[in-house]
Amino acid sequence: MFKKIYKEIKKYNTIVIARHIGVDPDALSSQLALKESIKLTFPNKKVYAIGNGSTKFSYMGKLDKLEEYDNFLLIVLDTPDKKRIDYKNYNNAKSIIKIDHHPFIESFGGIEYIDDKACSTCEILMELLLKTKLKCNEEIAKLLYCGLVSDSNRFLFDSCTSKTFSLVSTYLDKYHLTLSNIYTSLYLRPLKEVRLEGYISLNMKVTDNGVAYIILTNDIITKFKADSASAGNMINNFNFIDEILVWIIVTEDYKNDNVRVNIRSRGPEINKIAEKYNGGGHALASGARLSSINEAESLISDIDYATEIYIKKESFKNEN
Ligand code: AMP
């Protein structure tokens, strides 16, 4: 399959690389890394990495302005369904390649490489670059490492396998990355966000089934001088709390007139519930977008019920 992807890339002079809406480090760095790799391998090709960026990730590199493209190959990274592609004109592409690590939702009708066992899209690209003639350098390796570390939450998830570590080991050997620089870029954050995290810790509610949740209205976000994405970015920091099995942050996003939801779990699968609320994601890491804050109650109650069932099933298994 990697050879097929390489051949398709070789065929086109114009290549557009897109990814999911609501940019995150794996989506963005996989996009920028693949762009640089194609340009390094084929200097005469026109390659564009497109979509809405975020100043928070500006250290990774710049995205290209949206243009009218002609006779182009579209590569969609880290996106399982068409409605989440951060590029509305995907139908204009002559050919499509999808590379993703989310559970399968729908086909895009072209070449598809989906490995939902991979910890990140960057992990898949690490393999693609090693197994084809696509070139790599230190900058590209750094981007790939950055996305992989971020999406695996620093190698904490079960999706990190011996293959992940083997790929990382190969890249570290070959490109001599300075890890402390990468971690500083990824994890440095303003004090106001730490204070907001303190507020969440103090004020989140926890149900009898161990579902923690907090609803952050625009007033609270404004009080901490944070933005609507800040709380969601710290969702992983609430892992490994003994009394909490599933945790949910609901944030009012005034600017975009919707409500962001970030959900994480250490047991019950949450992505099917997230799908019911205009969301989706991985079994234990999902997100959703609500049209109003009133919907949050029903989402929390669905998750709480699923958690209750999960706990019952687990205790039944342990008793037998
Ligand atoms: P987040 O909580 O934003 O870090 O997202 C966790 C996972 O859920 C990622 O794989 C996202 O791509 C996915 N996700 C987040 N929001 C949505 C959404 N509204 N619809 C579908 N998937 C989502």
Side-chain angles (χ1 to χ4, degrees), residues 53-122:
S54 156
T55 47
K56 189 174 162 58
F57 307 130
S58 55
Y59 62 88
M60 287 184 185
K62 275 201 178 131
L63 288 161
D64 298 296
K65 282 208 182 89
L66 199 62
E67 288 178 26
E68 289 286 322
Y69 311 104
D70 220 20
N71 193 24
F72 65 100
L73 165 69
L74 174 68
I75 305 178
V76 182
L77 300 173
D78 200 36
T79 313
D81 51 351
K82 289 180 186 160
K83 76 171 185 332
R84 294 260 298 156
I85 304 175
D86 195 349
Y87 177 47
K88 294 287 156 278
N89 295 335
Y90 54 82
N91 279 329
N92 296 347
K94 256 264 160 0
S95 172
I96 295 194
I97 297 174
K98 173 194 196 185
I99 301 175
D100 189 25
H101 77 123
H102 289 89
F104 177 81
I105 294 185
E106 65 180 337
S107 166
F108 295 176
I111 298 172
E112 314 230 323
Y113 185 91
I114 297 152
D115 179 3
D116 62 6
K117 302 276 181 295
C119 74
S120 54
T121 298
C122 282

Side-chain angles (χ1 to χ4, degrees), residues 209 211 273 299-312:
N209 297 312
V211 175
I273 301 175
L299 166 82
I300 292 163
S301 144
D302 282 357
I303 297 237
D304 194 45
Y305 181 64
T307 308
E308 185 181 337
I309 303 283
Y310 171 86
I311 293 168
K312 280 187 184 145

